[in-house]
Amino acid sequence: MLRIALDMDEVLADTARAELAWLHQRYGSRWSPDALVGKQLADLLPPAHAAALDAVLHEGTFFADLPVMPGAVEVVARLVEHHQVFVVSAATEYPASCVPKFTWLRRHFPFIRPEQIVFCGDKTIVAADHLVDDNAHRFAGFRGELLLFDSPHNAGVQGYPRVRGWADVARRFLTAAP
Ligand SMILES: [Mg+2]
């Protein structure tokens, strides 16, 4: 049995899709998939749009209604049967997101118990064998293995094993499972 930590944004939740939808609704802007490769969305936006989006994220309720990443529910439901699974989110970056994120997890992942949910700042405090996360740069001091969850923004990141979606996570951790 492994201890596996799972990130929320861009891993369990398709936060980027919701952000792009918000930008389209608010400003009519559209971003092609190619434009997002290797870039953080905030770096592409006009400063006023980036500030408005950041204000929405700080308000918190945005995180209550995010789409679930395809395949996440099915694979995590099986992961918890075979491994010790924790959801680990750097939620203190947006303090008001904590309750919406908790509510979202209980709604979509009811098989993850509250004590398996960790909201923190610096994830290097977490002791796990594996961390599945889309952001490598923030977690250089993590002591376990970081599995980089594929996302347009991290396309150029090297040096970590990469998982391309939840089916890939399942192949990695459930191959010996019945
Ligand atoms: Mg993330």
Side-chain angles (χ1 to χ4, degrees), residues 7 9-10 133-135:
D7 177 35
D9 295 308
E10 306 304 312
D133 205 297
D134 64 302
N135 275 310

Side-chain angles (χ1 to χ4, degrees), residues 15-29 41 62:
T15 313
R17 183 148 68 97
E19 290 175 339
L20 292 169
W22 184 87
L23 289 162
H24 181 249
Q25 187 179 30
R26 174 79 182 262
Y27 298 111
S29 53
L41 184 59
F62 183 83

